Amino acid sequence: MIRPAFVEPVLDAQDCFRAVLEAMSRPGRVQRLTMALDAPAPLAPASAAVLLTLVDAEAPLWLDAGEEAEGWIRFHAGCPLAVQAEASFLLATGTPPALADLRQGSDETPQDGATLIIQVESLEEGAGWHLTGPGIEKEHRLNVTGLPPGFASERSRLAKNYPRGVDIILCAGDRLAALPRTTRIEEG
Amino acid sequence: MSHDPGYNFAYLDENTKRMIRRTLLKAVAIPGHQVPFGAREMPLPYGWGTGGIQVTAAILGPRDVLKVIDQGADDTTNAVSIRRFFNRVAGVATTTRTPEATVIQTRHRIPEATLTEQQILVYQVPMPEPLFRLEPRLTETRRMHALADYGLMHVKLYEDIARHGHVASAYNYPVMVQERYLMSPSPIPAFDNPKMHRMPALQLFGAGREKKIYAVPPYTAVRSLDFEDHPFRPHRADAPCTLCGSRTSYLDEVVTDDRGGRMFVCSDTDYCEDRQSTQAARGEQAA
C-alpha cells in the first residue's frame, strides 16, 4: 500500500515552503519542520516534505531512493522521472551526483539550474563551515555530517560559472538548510 | 478566523502556488535576476498589483499578519481592497502597524520603520526591466543582463547630468544588486533606495503583466547607480511633516486650496500616526 502524504496538503506545503524560503534566504540557518509525515524509507521527513512541496508534473525529478519512494512521490506529486542531466530537482539519499553533471542553466536563463536535495546525517549551526554571501549578515556557521569528503571544494569550483549553477537543500531528519549558488563555503 | 470555503486557501490553486514557489526560490538564489513565471489572471486588473498578490498568495500562511500599503498609505483603495481580499480568501490577520506585520505588500514605498528578519516585503512591480526605455527588445535586454553589459544605463545617466545637471529620476532609480544584476527597484522614490541595501528582511518583487519575479535576499548589497563626481543623492522635500513634524520621513505634497496653499505630510501613514499619538501621550503627561 502507498503511504499517505501531507495530512493537511495545503497548509503543510505552505509551512514547508516557508521553511525552505527562509533556508534559501539565510543560507546555513537550520529550519525545523513540524508537520507529521510518514514517508517511506529511506526518505527523511524533511526531504520527503520538500519534494511534496516543490515537485509536480512540471518538475522532472531524479532520485536514488529506491522503488517504494519512487512510487510514493510519483503517486502524490505526479512528477516525471528524469536522468541526472535533465532533472530540475534531484534527491540524493546516498552519494550525491557530480555537481558539474547537473543542469546549470545558461547565462541568459540561470534559473534553469537544478535544485539538488541531499539527505545528510546531521545539520548543526554554530560550528563547521564558515558561510558568507547574500542572506548572511557577517558569517553563518554550519556543521554537516554525511557529505562525501571534498564536497565543498567540488562545489566551489562551480562558483566561477555564476550566475549559472546548482542550488542545494540539505535535509537531516526533520531539519533542513540551504546553500544557494551564491554562498561561499570556507572549511574550518 | 477562517477563510471563505468557496476558495482554496489564499485563492490560488496548489499547482500555481508550487510554480510560483519554485520561481521564488530561484529568484532568491540569483539576487536581482528576473525569473519568468506563468502569471495567472487575478480578480483585479493589471496595474493593481496582480504580481504582488500572486507572490503574497504563494507565501502566505494562517499564522501571518498582513499589511498592505499603497504609496505609503494603509487607507487607499488599492491597499484596503488587497487587505480585504486576503482576509477573505486566506482568513489571515491584517494590520496597519509596520512592526506587527510578518508580510508587507507594498506599492511604491518602503516603510519608514526599519524592517526586521521576521518580515518579508513584497513589491508590486509594473515594469521589471530596468533597461526597457533604452532597449525595448527583451531578447536584447536578456543578453545584456547575461553579459552584465549595462553601459547603456550609464550613458542615460550621463546624458541626464549633461542636460539637467543631475540624474533626472526621482523614482524607479536603477540599482545594482550584489554588483552583478541591474535591477528596477519598482517605482519607489529614490529616497527609499538606500533602505534596500543590506535590509534584514527578505524582499520579493512580482510583476503580473510582465510575468517576472525577482528577489533581493537579506543583507544583500544594493547600490544606486552614480558617478564619482555625481554621487547618488536621494531627494526629499525640504520641509517638516505638518502633522507629526518629522524631518527625516518621505513627504507627500498636498494642495489645500486654489490660492497656492499646500502642506507636506508623511507618505507613510502608520509612521506619521505613531509619532502623532506618541506626541499626544507626551503632551498629556506634561499637562
Side-chain angles (χ1 to χ4, degrees), chain A residues 10 14-15 17-18 25-26 29 53-54 56 58 89 107 110-111 113-115 134-135 137 162-163 167 181-182, chain B residues 8 14-15 18 21-22 25-26 29-31 33 36 59-61 63-64 117 146 181 198 200 202 218-220:
Chain A
V10 174
Q14 188 274 337
D15 208 13
F17 169 68
R18 278 291 277 278
S25 311
R26 303 177 199 280
R29 289 256 179 100
T53 302
L54 294 176
D56 59 22
E58 295 168 28
F89 284 84
D107 285 331
Q111 69 272 13
T115 306
E137 187 176 11
Y162 184 80
D167 306 306
R181 61 193 81 177
T182 49
Chain B
N8 186 30
E14 291 302 300
N15 276 316
R18 261 194 303 275
R21 286 167 180 168
R22 287 193 296 261
L25 291 178
K26 287 300 169 194
I30 315 163
H33 170 65
I59 65 174
L60 208 61
R63 286 194 301 273
D64 278 313
E117 291 197 355
Y181 279 103
R198 295 185 59 80
L202 171 63
Y219 306 112
T220 299

Side-chain angles (χ1 to χ4, degrees), chain B residues 65-208:
Chain B
V65 180
L66 178 69
K67 172 182 164 84
V68 184
I69 50 173
D70 173 3
Q71 306 269 17
D74 293 279
D75 53 3
T76 50
T77 313
N78 198 215
V80 172
S81 312
I82 294 174
R83 214 159 47 226
R84 275 177 42 192
F85 173 77
F86 279 114
N87 182 254
R88 178 171 168 197
V89 300
V92 291
T94 59
T95 182
T96 59
R97 313 250 313 115
T98 306
E100 288 168 13
T102 57
V103 176
I104 302 173
Q105 182 172 328
T106 174
R107 174 175 174 273
H108 309 357
R109 265 321 301 283
I110 296 175
E112 303 290 352
T114 310
L115 301 184
T116 67
E117 291 197 355
Q118 281 68 44
Q119 296 175 309
I120 299 178
L121 187 58
V122 179
Y123 296 75
Q124 300 170 201
V125 183
M127 171 40 77
E129 179 49 70
L131 297 162
F132 161 69
R133 289 194 182 282
L134 308 170
E135 173 51 75
R137 290 168 296 180
L138 284 181
T139 44
E140 282 299 310
T141 56
R142 260 206 304 275
R143 177 164 307 166
M144 290 155 90
H145 285 295
L147 300 171
D149 173 7
Y150 299 129
L152 208 52
M153 184 56 89
H154 284 102
V155 171
K156 189 255 176 200
L157 297 185
Y158 167 77
E159 286 184 345
D160 271 3
I161 291 167
R163 248 180 243 161
H164 310 288
H166 57 92
V167 173
S169 303
Y171 65 95
N172 210 351
Y173 191 106
V175 294
M176 281 298 280
V177 178
Q178 202 70 17
E179 293 303 320
R180 175 59 183 81
Y181 279 103
L182 184 71
M183 186 186 94
S184 159
S186 85
I188 59 171
F191 175 86
D192 280 342
N193 276 17
K195 294 180 196 164
M196 304 179 85
H197 178 62
R198 295 185 59 80
M199 184 192 277
L202 171 63
Q203 305 174 70
L204 304 173
F205 299 76

